[in-house]
């Protein structure tokens, strides 16, 4: 049944290559109605799944999908045509419609359409979680079920959440356009934040027993590349991409054969992906050369220093501590302070790190903050306070949601405290 | 698209009447409302008297209930509304950001319902 396999491959390939351009083109033609564009694109792929195995793969799959999607959009608008707003769009579409195949998604303007799509999906008027979900669905082409898995929720719930978000885009008049120059930096920052969240979600799954979700990591990098392609001189976009690549270079060594997490200190540096490190470093240098420092560039610089070090003890800790110091000015957060404390401890001894940890002002939330306890445990152990370290480890373990990370933390406690 | 900007602030927030800050804010209101009027986007704008003058009506089980005060006790009181007609949400948010009370109160931006959009 080789004929049956080929259409399946062709559909998979078309999905990979055509989903986002198709969606972006349709959204442009439909006046920014992302919801309608997505429904029509999904129906076109469903039609391909139903028809290609029997009729064969069309000679131009992209054009076929565009034609079908446009017709599905027209059908839907026709059904809603009692609403006058839909009528206008219907008229425009029908005027353009003819019996011949449409051109495949227009690749010349597609960068602009994709950029518009991205700004629409990442609009600050949408809840942050909705922005991440919409971005994964529309720009990442993830199935609703896959987006639901990323958020550890059911497909029905995610479907409803996406419907609500798309309804708001339409009803509240969230524009399908690239913001004006004065708004742009803030809005790009929002997009980078969404991409960073997608990566983080993949890098350390927030709950559940899987430590990493490789598909989300790869998706984030793909989106990062897309932003850089669209905004090649945005230094923070470059910084984020460099950071993701440099972090991803270590991905295969972050877990052992059983899927247990391996600390940076113990990772097999021979298996770090040198080509990703080279690419990440080059992109970082390009960003730094443009002379507009920012938090993602600093994080990429830290990742680059780790990547360059031949082994843990040869890491340039004073430099890393200094970069965390800069980061704590640009984008202060408890995580940054904790990482800075750990780096300072490596550079100047555990007591220096512990002093910084003691100064974090998180009031009663501190007791529920896992990284604070975990780092403290490590530094107390190194400072010779076995009892203090023991109780800090216990608290950190209690607060760790992932089973794999819990076990790794236990193993570390046993190794360092020898009990 | 038509949007209503619902302007709120806590009754004690913002500059007190008779202070230079109050006069400066009045000037700002004059400027932004003038700019809005000249832009051609303005449909309606009205200030409301204080919450102390509000009366709320409900009918429950056929019985009319009239009570003193606004529909809900919140810290921020609804004191004014403006209806504008602009291209999209970004434009509406742009006007919302210019409202002087936005620095100590809030401006909620709501599209008019789809039936109102063409009316």
């Amino acid at each position: 049944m080789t004929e049956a396999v080929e259409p399946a491959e062709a559909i998979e390939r078309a999905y990979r290559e055509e989903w986002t351009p198709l969606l972006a083109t349709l959204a442009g033609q439909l006046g920014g109605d992302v919801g309608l564009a997505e429904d029509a694109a999904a129906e076109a792929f469903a039609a391909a799944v139903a028809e290609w195995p029997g009729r064969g793969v069309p000679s131009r799959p992209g054009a076929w999908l565009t034609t079908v999607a446009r017709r599905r959009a027209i059908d839907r608008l026709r059904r809603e045509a009692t609403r006058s707003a839909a009528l206008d769009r219907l008229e425009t579409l029908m005027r353009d419609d003819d019996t011949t195949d449409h051109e495949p998604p227009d690749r010349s303007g597609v960068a602009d359409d994709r950029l518009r799509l991205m700004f629409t999906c990442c609009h600050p008027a949408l809840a942050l979680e909705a922005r991440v979900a919409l971005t994964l669905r529309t720009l990442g082409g993830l199935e609703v079920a896959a987006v639901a898995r990323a958020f550890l929720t059911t497909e029905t719930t995610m479907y409803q959440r996406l419907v609500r978000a798309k309804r708001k885009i339409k009803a509240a008049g969230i524009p399908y356009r690239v913001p004006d120059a004065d708004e742009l930096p803030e809005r790009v920052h929002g997009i980078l934040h969404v991409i960073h969240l997608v990566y983080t979600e993949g890098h350390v799954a927030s709950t559940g027993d899987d430590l990493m979700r490789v598909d989300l990591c790869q998706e984030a990098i793909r989106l990062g590349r897309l932003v850089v392609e669209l905004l090649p001189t945005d230094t923070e976009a470059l910084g984020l991409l460099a950071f993701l690549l440099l972090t991803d270079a270590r991905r295969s060594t972050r877990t052992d054969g059983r899927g247990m997490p391996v600390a940076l200190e113990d990772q097999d540096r021979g298996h770090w992906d040198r080509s990703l490190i080279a690419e990440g470093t080059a992109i970082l240098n390009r960003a730094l050369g443009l002379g507009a420092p920012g938090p993602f560039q600093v994080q990429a610089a830290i990742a680059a220093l780790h990547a360059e070090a031949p082994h843990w003890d040869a890491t340039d800790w004073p430099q890393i501590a200094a970069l965390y110091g800069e980061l704590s000015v640009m984008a202060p957060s408890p995580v940054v302070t904790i990482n800075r404390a750990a780096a300072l401890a490596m550079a100047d001894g555990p007591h220096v790190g512990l002093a910084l940890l003691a100064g974090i002002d998180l009031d009663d939330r501190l007791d529920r903050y896992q990284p604070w306890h975990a780092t403290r445990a490590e530094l107390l152990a190194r400072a010779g306070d076995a009892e203090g370290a023991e109780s800090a480890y216990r608290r950190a373990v209690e607060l760790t949601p992932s089973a794999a990370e819990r076990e790794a933390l236990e193993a570390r406690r046993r190794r360092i405290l020898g009990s | 698209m038509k949007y209503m900007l619902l302007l709120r602030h806590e009754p004690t927030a913002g500059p007190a009447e008779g202070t230079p800050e109050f006069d400066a804010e009045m000037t700002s209101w004059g400027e932004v409302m003038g700019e809005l009027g000249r832009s051609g986007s303005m449909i309606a704008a009205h200030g409301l008297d204080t919450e102390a003058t509000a009366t709320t009506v409900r009918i429950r089980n056929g019985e009319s209930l009239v009570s003193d005060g606004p529909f809900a006790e919140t810290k921020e009181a609804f004191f004014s509304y403006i209806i504008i007609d602009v291209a999209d949400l970004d434009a509406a948010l742009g006007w919302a950001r210019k409202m002087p009370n936005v620095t100590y109160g809030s401006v909620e931006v709501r599209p008019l319902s789809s039936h109102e959009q063409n009316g």
Side-chain angles (χ1 to χ4, degrees):
Chain A
M1 289 287 286
T2 50
E3 283 147 333
V5 172
E6 278 175 12
E9 277 173 8
I11 290 164
E12 206 186 303
R13 186 169 166 192
Y15 194 76
R16 209 167 48 238
E17 291 174 1
E18 307 289 351
W19 169 264
T20 307
L22 176 60
L23 194 54
T25 307
L26 284 173
Q29 290 173 351
L30 294 169
D33 189 339
V34 176
L36 179 57
E38 189 202 319
D39 289 343
E43 285 182 26
F45 276 98
V49 170
E51 293 176 28
W52 292 5
R55 290 176 22 183
V57 178
S59 59
R60 296 194 304 159
W64 190 94
L65 288 162
T66 310
T67 306
V68 173
R70 279 177 57 97
R71 294 204 177 124
R72 296 300 161 103
I74 290 172
D75 287 347
R76 277 178 176 252
L77 286 173
R78 220 174 240 148
R79 288 200 294 274
E80 306 176 18
T82 45
R83 294 189 207 161
S84 52
L87 264 178
D88 296 344
R89 278 179 288 153
L90 181 58
E91 275 165 22
T92 319
L93 269 182
M94 293 188 43
R95 204 168 39 239
D96 301 344
D97 200 33
D98 46 50
T99 49
T100 59
D101 262 7
H102 280 282
E103 287 305 300
D106 176 9
R107 301 226 171 234
S108 63
V110 88
D112 294 341
D113 265 335
R114 265 197 275 184
L115 195 55
R116 283 185 208 106
L117 191 57
M118 198 178 272
F119 277 107
T120 306
C121 294
C122 294
H123 198 282
L126 299 166
L128 185 58
E129 197 174 66
R131 277 182 251 164
V132 177
L134 267 179
T135 301
L136 286 174
R137 173 75 187 124
T138 58
L139 286 150
L142 261 64
E143 300 284 356
V144 177
V147 181
R149 274 200 303 281
F151 284 92
L152 303 156
T153 184
T154 65
E155 195 173 339
T156 317
T157 306
M158 183 47 69
Y159 182 77
Q160 285 161 350
R161 203 176 286 164
L162 286 167
V163 167
R164 258 200 310 278
K166 284 178 281 180
R167 194 186 118 63
K168 180 162 183 188
I169 290 175
K170 192 170 159 184
I174 290 179
Y176 184 69
R177 64 170 178 80
V178 176
D180 298 336
D182 58 330
E183 275 180 278
L184 199 57
E186 186 193 328
R187 296 287 306 279
V188 171
H189 182 81
I191 287 178
L192 300 180
H193 184 51
V194 165
I195 296 172
H196 184 233
L197 276 180
V198 170
Y199 190 87
T200 310
E201 188 57 43
H203 200 54
V204 181
S206 57
T207 42
D209 291 347
D210 290 342
L211 190 69
M212 280 191 274
R213 297 188 39 88
V214 175
D215 53 341
L216 291 181
C217 293
Q218 287 170 343
E219 195 46 51
I221 289 176
R222 207 185 64 83
L223 292 170
R225 288 189 193 281
L226 181 61
V227 180
V228 163
E229 187 189 316
L230 302 171
L231 302 164
T233 57
D234 188 288
T235 51
E236 277 294 90
L238 290 165
L240 174 65
L241 180 58
F243 174 58
L244 298 186
L245 292 170
L246 288 162
T247 308
D248 212 53
R250 308 197 293 255
R251 179 151 49 85
S252 71
T253 64
R254 288 187 68 241
T255 48
D256 64 15
R258 295 181 306 130
M260 290 295 127
V262 179
L264 183 58
E265 184 179 348
D266 304 320
Q267 289 173 13
D268 178 358
R269 292 168 187 240
H271 282 102
W272 285 358
D273 187 327
R274 291 290 140 193
S275 68
L276 285 182
I277 291 173
E279 190 192 353
T281 309
I283 292 172
L284 173 63
N285 289 335
R286 206 168 108 205
L288 296 175
L290 292 168
F296 283 127
Q297 292 168 78
V298 174
Q299 289 174 77
I302 292 167
L305 286 173
H306 281 303
E308 278 164 20
H311 52 91
W312 175 254
D313 294 327
T315 311
D316 188 348
W317 293 112
Q319 181 69 14
I320 289 181
L323 286 168
Y324 274 121
E326 270 184 52
L327 196 55
S328 65
V329 175
M330 289 176 180
S333 82
V335 181
V336 172
T337 312
I338 288 166
N339 287 331
R340 187 179 171 205
L344 273 175
M346 291 302 294
D348 303 329
H351 292 287
V352 183
L354 283 167
L356 189 60
L357 282 184
I360 299 182
D361 181 24
L362 267 178
D363 50 68
D364 56 331
R365 284 172 300 161
L366 202 57
D367 189 48
R368 279 176 276 128
Y369 199 60
Q370 193 269 4
W372 188 77
H373 291 286
T375 309
R376 223 173 135 258
E378 191 84 24
L379 300 193
L380 285 169
R382 284 180 36 213
D385 179 355
E387 206 176 309
E390 185 72 47
S391 88
Y393 268 123
R394 210 176 309 126
R395 187 73 185 124
V397 167
E398 276 171 26
L399 293 167
T400 305
S402 142
E405 284 202 280
R406 253 190 328 266
E407 197 175 309
L409 209 52
E410 286 281 11
R412 184 129 189 103
R413 182 189 67 84
R414 283 193 299 275
R415 195 170 99 195
I416 291 186
L417 296 172
S419 58
Chain B
M1 279 185 66
K2 299 192 187 81
Y3 295 86
M4 181 182 262
L5 310 184
L6 298 104
L7 290 75
R8 300 192 174 91
H9 62 70
E10 288 184 36
T12 52
E17 215 167 327
T19 61
E21 291 79 18
F22 183 84
D23 294 340
E25 172 157 334
M26 285 302 116
T27 309
S28 302
W29 279 114
E31 281 166 6
V32 67
M33 296 314 280
E35 187 187 346
L36 191 49
R38 286 190 300 277
S39 75
S41 302
M42 169 84 90
I43 293 180
H46 290 283
L48 306 178
D49 208 324
T50 63
E51 291 210 318
T53 65
T55 309
T56 300
V57 182
R58 295 178 175 84
I59 295 181
R60 295 290 182 274
N61 304 320
E63 192 185 349
S64 166
L65 304 169
V66 175
S67 54
D68 176 35
F71 82 102
E73 292 293 341
T74 56
K75 277 191 172 174
E76 289 200 334
F78 177 30
F79 72 92
S80 186
Y81 73 84
I82 302 171
I83 299 176
I84 58 175
D85 191 354
V86 291
D88 55 40
L89 183 64
D90 282 351
L93 296 177
W95 284 112
R97 272 187 214 104
K98 291 187 176 183
M99 296 300 145
N101 71 305
V102 81
T103 55
Y104 54 86
S106 64
V107 180
E108 180 179 337
V109 179
R110 291 268 293 271
L112 299 195
S113 77
S114 53
H115 330 288
E116 302 283 349
Q117 287 295 344
N118 299 301

